[in-house]
Amino acid sequence: MRYPMRNIWTIAKREYNHYFISPVAYVVAFAILLVIGLIFALVVYSSADNALYGGVPDIGPVTGSFAFMLVLSVPALTMRLLADENRMGTMELLLTAPLRDSELIVGKWLGSLLFALTIIAVSFVYPVVLNSLIEPGIDQGAMITAYLGLILVAAAFLAVGVGISSLFSNQVAAFFATMVALVILWWLLGFPANYVQKGAEVFRYLDMQSHFYNSLGSGMINVTDLVYFFSLIAIGLFTGTLAVETRRWR
């Protein structure tokens, strides 16, 4: 009898634990928390000045900076996941196991997502501290929505990274290919929308920044944004599954 969830969880747990013996994961976590810690210090400093004029601080700069850091750090988290299995030849062993290709890909993605969620959970100390410093506190709804957006950005980026890692047997190549894909999704797709008339709406929809900064990051939840992120996750995981299945039949 097959147990898909058990297989997925076994792989996810293995990948999650592997991050804690990897210096790359510690460097990524340290870099993210250091940068958003500095941004948080600036938010607190500017809040003290703005309070004199009735300004209300929010956690937007912290979550926005976190999303930006994911563009730079996710390639380092996903480059090893499948590319290293291909390089070391352990992929062939996995393909002989009683395991569906999709279970392997989802398990790898879930393990990386759990690690990203750990870093996000640690960063939650910043809104808690900010909330305790001001009266009557920060906007709780906007804060929760911004963090939901942050989780969706991380999940989508990691799915893209897993899909690309499955196409390579070299970690460095997987890193740079993922970096290029994330830069296109985060920055470059938004530019044509400002300069072309025909198809501007398509580029605007594909631009991930607009789905985060203009919506979830600003405390708003739209169905179109959720569809966008879940579609990107599905495409990334499907790409990875297809790549593994193709390798099985070579």
Side-chain angles (χ1 to χ4, degrees):
M1 184 179 292
R2 298 182 64 86
Y3 298 98
M5 291 308 298
R6 181 185 295 178
N7 290 338
I8 291 171
W9 181 245
T10 300
I11 295 170
K13 194 165 59 172
R14 172 186 163 225
E15 293 302 331
Y16 179 72
N17 291 333
H18 192 278
Y19 281 115
F20 290 94
I21 59 173
S22 167
V24 173
Y26 283 102
V27 170
V28 167
F30 176 75
I32 290 176
L33 294 174
L34 176 64
V35 169
I36 64 172
L38 293 173
I39 298 294
F40 174 73
L42 290 174
V43 169
V44 173
Y45 178 76
S46 62
S47 298
D49 289 339
N50 293 335
L52 298 174
Y53 305 99
V56 179
D58 66 77
I59 205 65
V62 172
T63 53
S65 302
F66 201 139
F68 168 76
M69 288 299 294
L70 287 174
V71 179
L72 306 177
S73 58
V74 161
L77 295 178
T78 59
M79 63 180 182
R80 177 193 56 82
L81 290 175
L82 275 303
D84 210 36
E85 304 279 10
N86 293 332
R87 181 183 66 83
M88 296 178 68
T90 50
M91 178 62 80
E92 279 67 24
L93 292 176
L94 287 172
L95 294 179
T96 60
L99 180 72
R100 288 194 178 99
D101 300 337
S102 57
E103 294 167 6
L104 172 64
I105 295 299
V106 173
K108 295 276 186 181
W109 169 74
L110 183 59
S112 63
L113 180 60
L114 289 174
F115 184 75
L117 290 176
T118 302
I119 302 174
I120 291 172
V122 173
S123 77
F124 205 69
V125 68
Y126 297 122
V128 171
V129 171
L130 186 60
N131 188 62
S132 67
L133 291 177
I134 60 174
E135 289 293 340
I138 62 176
D139 187 334
Q140 305 282 339
M143 183 266 291
I144 292 172
T145 306
Y147 264 82
L148 172 64
L150 200 54
I151 292 170
L152 289 173
V153 170
F157 278 168
L158 290 167
V160 171
V162 168
I164 291 176
S165 179
S166 67
L167 301 173
F168 292 88
S169 57
N170 183 299
Q171 291 189 43
V172 177
F175 174 89
F176 284 107
T178 304
M179 178 70 77
V180 169
L182 301 191
V183 167
I184 291 173
L185 281 170
W186 190 255
W187 278 301
L188 299 185
L189 284 175
F191 285 111
N194 299 322
Y195 298 102
V196 300
Q197 293 184 342
K198 289 186 178 180
E201 285 301 318
V202 175
F203 286 110
R204 198 166 289 119
Y205 180 75
L206 293 175
D207 177 27
M208 188 183 284
Q209 281 199 63
S210 65
H211 291 281
F212 179 74
Y213 288 125
N214 300 337
S215 182
L216 293 161
S218 302
M220 296 181 290
I221 299 177
N222 296 316
V223 175
T224 52
D225 302 315
L226 300 180
V227 170
Y228 172 84
F229 284 111
F230 283 115
S231 299
L232 209 53
I233 293 170
I235 291 171
L237 298 183
F238 177 74
T239 301
T241 303
L242 196 61
V244 173
E245 192 171 337
T246 302
R247 192 179 185 87
R248 182 189 291 278
W249 292 106
R250 279 179 185 172

